[in-house]
Amino acid sequence: MNDLAHAKFDKFTAGEQHFLVPDVRCANCCLSIEKALDELPEITDVNVNYAEKRLSFLASSPVATKQVIDRLEEMGYQSAPERHDASMVQFREERRKLLARLGVAGIGMMQVMMFALASYVSGPQGIEDAYWNLMQWASLIIAVPVALYSAMPFHKGAIRDLRNLSLGMDVPVSLAILSAFFLSTFNTITQSGEVYFDSACMFTFFLLTGRYLELTARHAFQVDQSLGEHLLPDFARLTNGEITDVDQLTADDVISIRKGETIPADAIVLDGNSSVDESAFTGESAPVYKSTGAKILAGTINIDGDMTARVLSSSDEWVITHLSDLYRKSASFRPAFAAAADVIARYFVSIVLILAAGSGIYWWMAGAEDFFAIALAVLVVSCPCALSLATPVAYTIACGAVRQLGVLVSNGAFLEKLSHINAVVFDKTGTLTEGTLRLEQIALMNHQYSREDALRIAASLEVTSLHPVALSLRDAVDDLTEVENLQVTAGFGVSGLIDGVSYRLGKAEFAGSDSKQAPDENLNWVMLAGDDAPIAWFGLSDRLREGGHEVVTETKRRFDTVEVFSGDSSEKGRSRLIELGFTQPGMSMTPDAKIDGLKNLQANGNRVLMLGDGLNDAGAMAVADVSLAVNPVDSVVQSAADATLVNGSLTNLPDVFDYAVRVKKIIRQNLGWAFAYNLSVIPLAIMGMVPPWVAALGMSMSSLLVTLNACRLSRVPVTDIGVS
């Protein structure tokens, strides 16, 4: 077992694991690893991302992870647990070695081409045999380090593929380089036949150049993938003065956060107040004011005041960790047509070898002196490098670039499915509205409680929630009360014990009251009850999001079916939805009713996008064909959604629709070009119309073209939909 993997084996646990596998070279490598690891009894959900050379899997025990490492080593693949420092070390080392090999290949290519040029320009008289032999020997000496050092990654990859009984791209590449080199060496020693040192050196140089460009492009879009590794500090300061690793923080640790420091954990503010920069999550530059009782997120920046806060959970449950995991999974997605291309590429190598051998034999039997050059050209020109690069590079770039629109993709299928939808369903509160409810009225029903007591109890019950109701109640209270047995019932309310009394906050039927009639219909009302006896009504109001009307109008222009499903029962809520153009908005809908509504739309042949923000939307988002969570910080909602709109703004929604279509178009362009190139150039090579050096150049340029075309996705144009 390799040292890199062993170094962190003692920290492995059962669950999801991520490894870097730098030796992955093509789609066939990915398929071979996935097939081999799927055979292990305690390993599931194996996925290899070619663009990022990352392996992920679910292990039922630490021993199962050890089995994965052993199997990889048996197959000839080095691996290392994925950490930011390991990733950077691996990238720098791979780049250093690649530059060294590229430098040797470049110098060798120029020198050998200079010697070959003499024969090209010598004219019909040629050059004297003594000089010609001297240049052949000089070319041989220069080509040795190119063929046996610079091209060594291809040779190692070919040996590994053959040992695993598979044919990857390295097999024809290595065969082409070694065949050209050893035949040229034989002809130089025996002073008979043509030499192809120039083709071997040029082929190696162009391939290494393409691989270097692929490495740098992949790294450029990978460095910001793991948010936690880049945004979190290394250490946290406990209130007792102790300094501890961020990874060692646990629930209920009390930390001190000074002005200007990065917040090390998801926590609740116990003392102090400050403005916090949350732009890494939301994309909004304006800081957010935080005071006692407010939730603060790991990776955000404390701007202008000292705070003391209580850590909510271990690092595995922080929002930043969850977002990183979701993004990592999304970049591994392969759409159906791309997966088919990977399979085709796997078998295409066998066809390439047969075509190369067949063309060489044909021209040899036909008496052509350049039969080997033709076979070599076929072997080189038909390598399916571009076919294997077409999709993974594009998807990796797209999943990162769409964050410019404030969207964090958690399921790679989001971009593909979004391009096929024909219906959109909005939630209201927190989605079409700002979700920043304001507490307008408190109606006491039990005068044993004061207004302040009732409000403090209600706010304390909502201490861990980021629902708009919870935020508005906590903003109105300075001191919170400790709650035991806190439970959340999605779509209905929260409950818990305070000083031995069982309290419920939410809808009247959830609170246990027979009195379901709210004081009036112009506000959103929630009830607080203690031991099933009503205590108080809390009336709240909300505002429409800026640009909401324009976004709904634009969405209706694009799609035939656009609806809203809301749990709100107030007349004020209904009137606001009518203002947006929903003539028959769905009101007073429970989570189950939202699910039934979505199923009815799907039964009528619609492919539905669901947008929501709260736990009451999670079920509907799971049922929808594709779902988008609008600025949630609850991991349950994020898990249910295919993507998260982290900046909370709907104004970019039309651009997200356009970008999804553009991603599909770019990938199909890449696949179309890759297939068209191979299918059109291979016949020319078989007919002897493509010299080996041109074949090397064409194959490398084809791979570079699909990479550059995929890089076009890094630009995400934002259109103006008329938001004032």
Side-chain angles (χ1 to χ4, degrees), residues 551-571:
V551 169
V552 170
T553 301
E554 178 65 18
T555 304
K556 286 188 172 184
R557 186 185 68 81
R558 294 167 180 261
F559 306 105
D560 295 333
T561 303
V562 180
E563 297 189 13
V564 60
F565 291 171
S566 175
D568 187 5
S569 59
S570 69
E571 284 300 319

Side-chain angles (χ1 to χ4, degrees), residues 31-40 71 75:
L31 294 172
S32 297
I33 292 174
E34 290 174 357
K35 181 180 179 181
L37 298 187
D38 279 334
E39 297 173 354
L40 298 178
R71 179 62 63 88
M75 297 178 68

Side-chain angles (χ1 to χ4, degrees), residues 132-197:
W132 176 238
N133 292 338
L134 178 62
M135 285 186 287
Q136 282 186 326
W137 280 102
S139 298
L140 169 60
I141 294 171
I142 294 172
V144 168
V146 177
L148 302 183
Y149 167 71
S150 294
M152 186 55 67
F154 308 117
H155 305 327
K156 287 182 177 179
I159 293 172
R160 182 178 58 246
D161 289 340
L162 294 174
R163 189 171 66 184
N164 294 324
L165 302 179
S166 65
L167 294 176
M169 287 192 304
D170 285 337
V171 173
V173 169
S174 176
L175 183 60
I177 295 172
L178 292 179
S179 298
F181 173 75
F182 284 117
L183 179 62
S184 300
T185 299
F186 176 80
N187 290 342
T188 298
I189 295 173
T190 60
Q191 296 297 303
S192 62
E194 296 290 331
V195 295
Y196 306 97
F197 292 122

